[in-house]
Amino acid sequence: MNAKPAAAPARTDFDKPVIWLLTLAVAVPLVIFFLYPVVQILGRSLSTPTGWGLDNFSAAFGTRRFANLLWNTLVMAGISVSATVVLAFGYAYALQRTAVPLKPVFRIVALLPLFAPSLVQGQGLLLLLGRNGLVNRQFGLGFDIYGMVGVIVANVLYAFPYAFLILSAALAVADQRLYESARTLGASGFRMFRDITLPGAKFGIVAAVFVCTTLIVTDFGNPMVIGGDFNVLATEVYNQVIGQAQFERGAVIGIVLLVPAAILKFAEKWLTRRQFALVTAHSKPLVVEPSLGRDLAFTAYAVLVASAFVAVIGIVFWASFVTLWPYNMALTWKHYEFDVQNGTEPIWNSIMVSLFAAMAGVVATSLAAIVLHKFRTPLTPVLALLAVLPAAVPGMVLGLGYILVFNDPSTPLNALYGTFAIIVILNVYYNHAQGFLVVSTSIKQIASSFDEAATTLGAGVLKTLRSVTIPLLWPTMLGVAVFYFMRSMVSLSAVIFLITPSTQVAAVSVLQLSDRGAYNQAAAFSVCIMAVVVVALLSVRAVLHLAGVRNVALIR
């Protein structure tokens, strides 16, 4: 990340301590709530009864079970990521480079999985293709979705919207002149796709591979729901820590999960250093020309993909109204009475946690972006790295680090363990990189002349932030708040280690209900989570519309 600030206006003596206080307000929480837990995982993985060493790694890697888990994870992730990126590229191409109809509808349908916990895909597949699923009950096919196939399909559906958003942005812009020149030289459609379209989208493809790999390797919701006897490293770390209290073994697996994510993230940054602007001041925006055969083919493809999302999410919605799936299909409202343990409390807990995470996340990421782009201190280079490093740490790994740090009675941080505050903080710093980058992008678009004018008129740092910077940034900050709210409502892997009976959240309730076969109640919880997220999105969109703000993306 290039955190080089704009030319700084002259500061008064009073401004210097204010700048340092703001800098420390960013640095201290980042160290305590992000860096320290990650370091703890590394330390715990190297801790042995006789001191420091690699004995835990040797013991883990020397077992056949670990080798099988590692192989399962690599094969599952390799197939899932490849399928996700290819399918999402085709879908994004259909919406950005062809004249298919109903593009807004196709876009919304592809984003449906973002509104629900990851395991909803597994839920839907079980209801659709499981032993007691709709297809088997109707046609008696004897098809069994349990196992690796089911996990791969569920993970493809789960990661698809993330890849689609990245690839859609990569394909959204292009220079019409390149395609006109290629046609003049007699290039075929395939040749233009190979030599112009693919090279232009290669950085988006790299980013999609990184994001999908991190999501799929560390997600344990779908393998728990639909994996059956097929286990992966993400389910193993959960079983070792929660089931057997084997923290050292859990830390070793956490490091194994962290390494590929970190390598891929740095590889992505290294590759994208050479990224160049596809559109310059002399470029001509790409104009999509209708082509009957191509548009019909891509419309059919988009309908096929969108149908899969509608079927999987739709059957969860239907099951939430069925009396007892699949034996009594009469419709009922009784599952929305939430007569299970804790009733509606987990849903209200999730809403409360998500609201606080949204508020705290906006403050943390906006302050970090302002400090790094407006001021320059000796801590700036280190903070610039720490601010984006959470993107390379999977949520489950960071959650494991939190339990190692905050479950230790010898530290004052133990006071946070078992509270909602620690879940809020985890959500804030797990998603810190994305929120920080969004605010940073907006700050870079604000001319430094505003700050210079305010300083010339005698305004200090705080008055400039209050009167100039924040009023210009508020639509972006509202978008970041929605992002935090949405991610916190559906977060499962990151928070699973921190949940106690008194701090239950809705996504974990879905997992527990599915685990004990209460599919109808689990479906009702899932529908409520999706409904809350959709209502929040519509409410904020209405606020922005009333304020006359049109160009703020609420889903990133």
Side-chain angles (χ1 to χ4, degrees), residues 84 88 110-114 156-166 309:
T84 304
L111 299 180
L112 284 177
L114 293 176
V156 169
L157 295 171
Y158 164 51
F160 185 95
Y162 297 92
F164 165 70
L165 284 172
I166 295 170
F309 287 109

Side-chain angles (χ1 to χ4, degrees), residues 119 123 220 224-225 238 242 340-342 346 492 496 499-501 503-519 521-522 525:
L119 55 83
Q123 267 187 295
F220 88 109
M224 287 287 284
V225 170
Y238 175 77
I242 300 298
V340 295
Q341 185 179 9
N342 296 327
L492 176 63
I496 188 66
I499 297 301
T500 66
T503 59
Q504 183 87 325
V505 294
V508 176
S509 290
V510 176
L511 174 67
Q512 293 175 343
L513 289 168
S514 295
D515 197 37
R516 71 181 199 218
Y519 298 119
Q521 289 92 340
F525 263 96

Side-chain angles (χ1 to χ4, degrees), residues 154-203:
N155 278 330
V156 169
L157 295 171
Y158 164 51
F160 185 95
Y162 297 92
F164 165 70
L165 284 172
I166 295 170
L167 294 168
S168 186
L171 292 169
V173 293
D175 190 345
Q176 177 77 13
R177 296 173 306 167
L178 296 176
Y179 291 90
E180 290 175 350
S181 301
R183 287 193 195 95
T184 303
L185 295 172
S188 64
F190 174 76
R191 183 76 182 271
M192 287 190 284
F193 177 80
R194 188 191 67 186
D195 295 343
I196 302 175
T197 305
L198 272 183
K202 65 182 179 184
F203 297 111

Side-chain angles (χ1 to χ4, degrees), residues 167-256:
L167 294 168
S168 186
L171 292 169
V173 293
D175 190 345
Q176 177 77 13
R177 296 173 306 167
L178 296 176
Y179 291 90
E180 290 175 350
S181 301
R183 287 193 195 95
T184 303
L185 295 172
S188 64
F190 174 76
R191 183 76 182 271
M192 287 190 284
F193 177 80
R194 188 191 67 186
D195 295 343
I196 302 175
T197 305
L198 272 183
K202 65 182 179 184
F203 297 111
I205 295 172
V206 172
V209 168
F210 160 70
V211 170
C212 291
T213 303
T214 304
L215 288 171
I216 288 171
V217 166
T218 61
D219 175 67
F220 88 109
N222 283 318
M224 287 287 284
V225 170
I226 202 170
D229 295 330
F230 179 78
N231 291 302
V232 293
L233 287 174
T235 54
E236 181 68 5
V237 67
Y238 175 77
N239 293 331
Q240 290 291 335
V241 173
I242 300 298
Q244 303 178 36
Q246 293 289 332
F247 291 100
E248 285 76 13
R249 181 63 64 89
V252 168
I253 301 174
I255 294 295
V256 173

